[in-house]
Amino acid sequence: MNATITTFQAEPQLFFFCESGGAELLRLLDRAEVLHLLATHNYGVALALPILDDAHATATRLLNAHGVPVVAWLTLPADEGLAFNLQNYPRAAAAYQAFHAWAQANNVHFVAVGFDMEPPLSDTLFVGWSGAREIARRIWLARDNALFPAARAAYLELMAAARRDGYEVHAYQIPLIADDRRVGTSLLQRALDIVDLPADIEVLMCLSETAPAWFGSALIAVYGPSADALAVGSSSSDDTILSWDDLRRDLLLAAACTDIVYVATLEQCIAAGYLERIAGLDWNETVRVATAPYLVMQAARTVILTGLFIARYGKTVLAWMGWLLALILWLRGRRTPAHPAPDNRQRTDQQRNQPKRQKR
């Protein structure tokens, strides 16, 4: 059983994540047809910058020369975990300062800077029963996360510094961040060691990595309607790549929700020949979403939102329920008719007036 969604919208602004570096990055862009497609359709490239070297500077100049919008995707080296979180927030500020100095020294232009916010050890955190137990343990200890206030203040200042330097700020977040913000809590942020960044554009990562192909589509259908932007596709670190039908479906779904879509990754799209297909995509096509995965994802989100609501308002609700119960008992006591106490004096007079029985 499928749900049919018909989309009627213009072509969205696409940004392609690009994780390559060094000579591989230059070989990737040293193709006239690739640069032509990117420039003709105004596709952007989110260039990963774990290392600020001459190869990345040369690639950025090449993209600048062809009028391709470039986002500086700030990441850490692989041995430091790549993404940012509460535990490495000092490195985030250092990475941005190094990037800004490098960009000015090399005279390269970026339309935005992107910060990838992910939980530490995110590759195993959500996998299996051990992952569920770890998440439960973190939620239980979330309120004691002493790093959160200092890290949040540091990231707020970092976002402000990037704007002062003339960059638009993009934040790549897991979809759960939207639930935490919707309820008005920081419980999931504290539990997962992440921060709800005050970005100009928040990109919810709805990728189909380490999961069935329908996983990303269900995430898009559930979280997409309230998102600034969405990311679709699969990480190039995976052994498999989404089929064209799956990627096409996710692109159309995302475009129905937002006008900014990130695609993972440029390397995969070029290798599989998807870049040309995306350029020729009819964005006013009918999309079919499997109903069962959508309902499962919607139910899971409802459970998460309910848990967050209870965590925030549980004590208040219990307190008011206690007062309500006390009021009900008090009103019930007032309505119950009082039984008159027996009059001992009247009973004694009645006994005195009764004739005494004669003894035989």
Side-chain angles (χ1 to χ4, degrees), residues 50 75 85 91 99 119 163 175 180 183 197 199 204 214 223 237 242-243 246 262 294-295 315 331 338-340 345 355:
T75 64
N85 48 65
R91 289 289 290 116
F99 152 74
R163 292 189 183 93
D180 215 22
V183 181
L197 299 178
L204 297 185
W214 56 259
Y223 285 93
S237 60
L242 284 181
S243 68
D246 291 332
Y262 274 76
Y294 170 79
L295 293 178
K315 292 182 179 179
L331 291 174
H339 297 283
R345 180 183 298 178

Side-chain angles (χ1 to χ4, degrees), residues 210-223:
T210 64
W214 56 259
F215 184 77
S217 300
L219 282 175
I220 295 168
V222 172
Y223 285 93

Side-chain angles (χ1 to χ4, degrees), residues 343-354:
D343 191 343
N344 293 330
R345 180 183 298 178
Q346 184 179 2
R347 183 182 303 172
T348 303
D349 293 342
Q350 291 176 353
Q351 291 175 354
R352 187 182 298 123
N353 294 331
Q354 288 180 356

